[in-house]
Amino acid sequence: MVNASNDTPRHCSLPLPLTWLQPIDFPHKLGICERLFGSAIAHRGICWVKTGSGLPWKLDLTNRTHRWIVYGKYEGANFLNWAKKFLTPNGIIVDSGANIGQMLMYLAQWIPQGKLLAFEPGKEAGDWLEECLVTYPNLPVELLRFGLGAAPTRLRLQNIGANYGHGAWNQISETEGETIQIVRLADELAIRSIETVDLWKLDVEGYEIPALQGAEELLKQQRIRAIYAELSGENGQRVRDYLSAFKYHCNLFDPKGQLYTSSQLPAHTNGLFLPE
């Protein structure tokens, strides 16, 4: 979970060698930078700091995964490099599980005439993201404090995992956690007269199938051009099978950033689904 503070965080600088490395992609970058710079920047605590995206963002540098956001492209460069080439300036993006904006800070910059719908139902992560977005009124982002599901309802968001995950592993629950509102993606798009989506980043910690069910009418007509979904264990195979029924093909990224098809999914990965 994030550890939001009521005090206005200061701006802090980074070691000069790290600023040189930020725009450069290379294998195992996040781990290497953590070994080189982690202890040097951790003591700076909560502050505004330039991230790998080029944007200063409010981060808690005592938190290892926040430091990853400083080093470079969160979760690796392959998907984001692909997205930068794929997206057009007027693109439409859905970021479900936006968290504190670690992917959004890249994607939103690449669609200056478009729109990014950021779904984040968790209060702490949503408050943190909102504070950062206020600083960038020109980013084409609309923050929606909802979770995505098959039908409008109220459920709970359960805090699981270690604190260093800053809420990234929170899961939908019927019985435990903070109460959140669930909406259908198709309904939210209709309200905004959005007929097609260029990219849907789907990372909702095991609740992917209900979220997809709330967009079936778009999937049937392949009005979503690309879906980048977290695929973990048996649920990952279920997501793959579900989207296959709508003729979306699952692609993985190899270490060089090239797309390939695998008959068997790794235990944990992310898949890029494109219409056949």
Side-chain angles (χ1 to χ4, degrees):
M1 292 286 285
V2 293
N3 181 23
S5 170
N6 292 326
D7 298 328
T8 302
R10 69 194 186 284
H11 288 260
C12 63
S13 59
L14 296 170
L16 192 58
L18 177 53
T19 65
W20 295 336
L21 289 175
Q22 277 183 317
I24 303 172
D25 295 332
F26 54 87
H28 313 295
K29 180 182 183 183
L30 302 185
I32 291 171
C33 285
E34 176 65 9
R35 289 195 294 273
L36 292 174
F37 304 108
S39 60
I41 66 175
H43 71 279
R44 299 176 189 183
I46 296 176
C47 63
W48 286 84
V49 60
K50 184 180 178 182
T51 66
S53 73
L55 297 179
W57 212 257
K58 177 186 169 186
L59 297 175
D60 180 358
L61 297 182
T62 66
N63 183 317
R64 177 164 56 93
T65 52
H66 280 225
R67 296 195 295 271
W68 293 350
I69 299 170
V70 173
Y71 302 146
K73 296 183 174 74
Y74 193 81
E75 294 188 353
N78 291 337
F79 164 67
L80 286 172
N81 289 342
W82 175 89
K84 187 174 183 179
K85 296 177 181 178
F86 174 77
L87 293 166
T88 59
N90 62 347
I92 302 294
I93 299 173
V94 172
D95 184 353
S96 51
N99 200 251
I100 66 166
Q102 52 265 55
M103 301 286 272
L104 171 157
M105 62 177 67
Y106 290 92
L107 298 172
Q109 292 188 78
W110 300 332
I111 54 165
Q113 287 84 51
K115 190 176 188 67
L116 188 151
L117 301 179
F119 289 88
E120 179 46 61
K123 183 179 186 329
E124 287 188 88
D127 288 349
W128 193 291
L129 177 55
E130 183 174 33
E131 183 178 349
C132 293
L133 289 175
V134 167
T135 307
Y136 299 103
N138 292 328
L139 280 183
V141 176
E142 181 180 355
L143 175 58
L144 299 166
R145 302 293 196 101
F146 311 131
L148 293 178
T153 187
R154 287 189 177 273
L155 293 172
R156 293 182 179 274
L157 190 66
Q158 184 179 10
N159 177 21
I160 66 169
N163 288 338
Y164 65 76
H166 55 77
W169 300 322
N170 287 356
Q171 291 184 344
I172 300 292
S173 168
E174 294 187 358
T175 58
E176 298 183 41
E178 64 175 293
T179 301
I180 61 170
Q181 185 176 350
I182 300 293
V183 297
R184 295 176 71 249
L185 178 59
D187 294 340
E188 294 303 311
L189 296 177
I191 290 170
R192 293 160 181 80
S193 300
I194 295 174
E195 295 185 356
T196 61
V197 170
D198 293 287
L199 175 62
W200 182 3
K201 194 216 87 181
L202 178 59
D203 184 359
V204 290
E205 301 302 323
Y207 207 66
E208 285 80 11
I209 295 295
L212 289 165
Q213 289 171 336
E216 275 199 357
E217 48 264 63
L218 289 95
L219 297 173
K220 288 177 181 177
Q221 299 175 30
Q222 295 188 340
R223 288 193 282 131
I224 301 176
R225 295 180 59 213
I227 302 169
Y228 187 64
E230 184 178 53
L231 305 174
S232 295
E234 294 181 0
N235 186 65
Q237 187 59 52
R238 286 192 292 268
V239 171
R240 183 177 185 174
D241 292 343
Y242 182 87
L243 284 170
S244 177
F246 298 98
K247 300 190 184 317
Y248 280 85
H249 183 72
C250 180
N251 302 273
L252 306 180
F253 287 99
D254 69 17
K256 294 183 178 180
Q258 300 299 311
L259 292 173
Y260 73 97
T261 300
S262 175
S263 58
Q264 185 160 351
L265 294 174
H268 179 81
T269 189
N270 291 280
L272 179 65
F273 293 85
L274 301 172
E276 294 178 1

